Amino acid sequence: IVEVERVSRDALAEVRRAVHGYRSASLADEMVRVRAVLQTAGIDADVDASVLGATSVGPGAAPEVEHAAAMVLREAVTNVIRHARATRCSIEAHA
């Protein structure tokens, strides 16, 4: 249990570093990254694969919208890791 807690804290720290220093991620890139973070925290991540090939939130989406969507996803995953005591997390995105 101590090791799981350590891994979870490390994953959370990684998510926080990303929020502060990772400004131009596409939603698809962020979904790939959070899947890895969730798995590192011992949480089975079910990520909608149809979004992983996408390059943006939607046709003509402004960079600010893309960034905001990526930040929302980061925050949601941070909350799952920190508060949910989850063993599984399912993520879907629809443009």
Side-chain angles (χ1 to χ4, degrees):
I1 229 36
V2 171
E3 180 64 15
V4 170
E5 184 177 11
R6 184 194 64 76
V7 169
S8 295
R9 288 183 193 275
D10 290 347
L12 179 58
E14 182 181 331
V15 170
R16 286 187 175 150
R17 280 192 299 274
V19 168
H20 292 293
Y22 191 53
R23 299 292 180 198
S24 61
S26 70
L27 181 58
D29 290 342
E30 191 61 26
M31 289 185 86
V32 170
R33 197 187 70 69
V34 299
R35 177 171 36 194
V37 169
L38 286 164
Q39 290 173 339
T40 299
I43 299 171
D44 181 29
D46 178 22
V47 178
D48 181 354
S50 67
V51 176
L52 297 179
T55 57
S56 70
V57 173
E64 304 84 45
V65 173
E66 186 80 13
H67 176 66
M71 287 186 67
V72 167
L73 179 59
R74 282 182 215 138
E75 183 63 21
V77 168
T78 298
N79 289 337
V80 166
I81 293 169
R82 179 183 265 180
H83 305 294
R85 295 183 183 160
T87 58
R88 181 173 178 79
C89 179
S90 182
I91 300 170
E92 293 182 30
H94 304 275

